[in-house]
Amino acid sequence: MSDVVTIVEGMIDIIDRNLVAKTNLISNVLTGEVMVNVENAFHFDDDQEVVLIDYDYNIEGTLHYHVFEYAKIKEVNNTHWITLSLPIESTTGWTVSKHAFVQKTIGSSPLYTDRIYYGDREVIPTEEMAVTVEPISVSNEWIYIHGGLSEEYRISIMVYGKDIETEEGLKILNRYADAVYNLFNKNIHIDVDNYDSPIFQDIVAGSNVAAVVVADTTDNREYFRPSIYLPDDQVFEMQDNMGTEIDMSIESVSTPGDGKMYITTTYPFNRSYSTTEYGVFRRHGMYFYDSRIDNVEYGMVQKGSAFVRAARLNWFGKKVQEYKFPQKSQRAVYFEEIESSESSDSSSSSSSSSSSSSSSSSP
């Protein structure tokens, strides 16, 4: 059934993964170097701004206390390597031992995970960048018989910036609004409650028999079942950092007891998938056949009787909720249970027998 909380939380997760995007270093990067070795560059693109930072940032007395380095990506070479436009300036470099990482930023003003809120606020408890996502309304109409109800959800996304009294601060705020706008308009068929699990072995193009190997867990057994047991059989997908295949079906699932599940798909894979490219097997959740941000208000936004510097983005998403007929009425009146005729006959017989016994024992 529809659940607006799941939809809003899914949208918050999309903003987090794409605008807060960060990845750990997997080897040290030294002064003067431009090549940065990272764990997973999937959510980064060419020409994006980033910041390098480590866990010493909040520890007084350390070399990197309140120290970070802004940079720009020249090229995302592959999953594990990023080339910066300019060499690293930090005299101490950035090291794995200090848990250094790269994080996306806009205008040298990073957005942090704990600054993305469910629901708007009268007062935003931060002077940093912040985003709120709040449900506004849902409307519907029947689009086919029987049982196809199209539901349209309306969500308000607010973007708040710091240093909003300055021209530069307003530019940063506007760029963040544009980033949110582009993010959701590139995801017209948005999926907000997918379930996925990493694959345990590489998949070779052309294979399908026991080709998908995932962990044998309670959740995986629940979500990865043969398609004949599902109302919609083509709800599975394979993806890694290099590509994806959609609308797949599961033919069979084997769980031999070795801690793994072996999944056979109905048709062979068109391409290969790799564990080193973070391959995942996925089951779709909600499917929106149409969604986008159809309006953006820049600059001043009214909150109650006051006006604040912010941007408001209005998002809508349409999905189909299917209802099955005939339906059991929720208006039925339930009476006390009536004994079956068999139990009534049994009681009568028992009563007669008892009466008869009583009669024969009378003088």
Side-chain angles (χ1 to χ4, degrees), residues 156 165 285 361:
S156 175
E165 300 302 325
S361 64

Side-chain angles (χ1 to χ4, degrees), residues 122 301-307:
E122 284 295 325
V301 173
Q302 186 171 2
K303 291 180 69 66
S305 60
F307 286 87

Side-chain angles (χ1 to χ4, degrees), residues 68-327:
F68 43 78
E69 183 168 349
Y70 291 107
K72 188 175 183 179
I73 295 176
K74 179 180 180 180
E75 180 183 2
V76 177
N77 306 85
N78 52 48
T79 292
H80 298 297
W81 287 96
I82 291 173
T83 302
L84 302 180
S85 296
L86 297 172
I88 291 294
E89 294 182 350
S90 171
T91 56
T92 54
W94 299 95
T95 64
V96 175
S97 63
K98 295 296 184 179
H99 306 286
F101 60 89
V102 177
Q103 180 172 336
K104 191 180 295 186
T105 183
I106 294 177
S108 302
S109 298
L111 174 67
Y112 299 102
T113 297
D114 61 356
R115 303 292 196 269
I116 308 174
Y117 303 98
Y118 185 108
D120 200 4
R121 304 286 197 278
E122 284 295 325
V123 177
I124 301 299
T126 178
E127 294 182 355
E128 306 296 324
M129 297 302 304
V131 176
T132 66
V133 185
E134 179 170 272
I136 299 301
S137 66
V138 59
S139 57
N140 59 54
E141 63 177 337
W142 293 110
I143 58 173
Y144 62 81
I145 299 299
H146 61 65
L149 186 67
S150 175
E151 297 177 331
E152 179 176 322
Y153 289 85
R154 286 276 172 179
I155 308 292
S156 175
I157 304 172
M158 299 289 294
V159 180
Y160 298 93
K162 66 175 185 177
D163 299 328
I164 55 176
E165 300 302 325
T166 67
E167 180 179 318
E168 188 60 32
L170 181 58
K171 288 179 180 178
I172 293 170
L173 175 64
N174 291 343
R175 290 172 64 192
Y176 261 102
D178 287 344
V180 175
Y181 175 84
N182 291 324
L183 172 63
F184 282 100
N185 284 354
K186 287 193 300 184
N187 288 273
I188 292 176
H189 302 293
I190 184 174
D191 294 291
V192 299
D193 66 340
N194 293 335
Y195 174 83
D196 52 41
S197 183
I199 58 175
F200 276 19
Q201 69 180 33
D202 294 346
I203 295 173
V204 179
S207 63
N208 70 309
V209 178
V212 182
V213 182
V214 296
D216 184 1
T217 66
T218 301
D219 284 343
N220 281 355
R221 289 195 180 203
E222 172 65 24
Y223 286 99
F224 301 145
R225 293 186 289 164
S227 295
I228 58 172
Y229 300 119
L230 304 176
D232 184 354
D233 62 345
Q234 295 183 323
V235 294
F236 299 99
E237 170 181 313
M238 175 61 67
Q239 177 182 315
D240 67 8
N241 284 2
M242 306 304 294
T244 185
E245 288 180 51
I246 63 173
D247 298 335
M248 303 179 69
S249 301
I250 291 179
E251 184 174 288
S252 63
V253 178
S254 174
T255 52
D258 61 351
K260 299 176 183 177
M261 292 176 60
Y262 298 84
I263 300 172
T264 298
T265 55
T266 305
Y267 299 103
F269 288 92
N270 292 321
R271 60 179 302 277
S272 298
Y273 296 89
S274 168
T275 56
T276 59
E277 294 293 344
Y278 297 93
V280 296
F281 193 58
R282 175 179 297 121
R283 176 172 166 175
H284 288 303
M286 292 184 194
Y287 174 73
F288 287 86
Y289 66 86
D290 183 16
S291 73
R292 67 181 183 274
I293 289 175
D294 62 354
N295 179 260
V296 181
E297 297 175 49
Y298 297 102
M300 301 292 278
V301 173
Q302 186 171 2
K303 291 180 69 66
S305 60
F307 286 87
V308 296
R309 282 287 194 186
R312 177 188 286 123
L313 301 94
N314 299 305
W315 178 92
F316 77 85
K318 296 179 181 180
K319 61 182 288 293
V320 176
Q321 181 70 49
E322 290 195 339
Y323 291 89
K324 302 300 181 183
F325 296 100
Q327 296 175 327

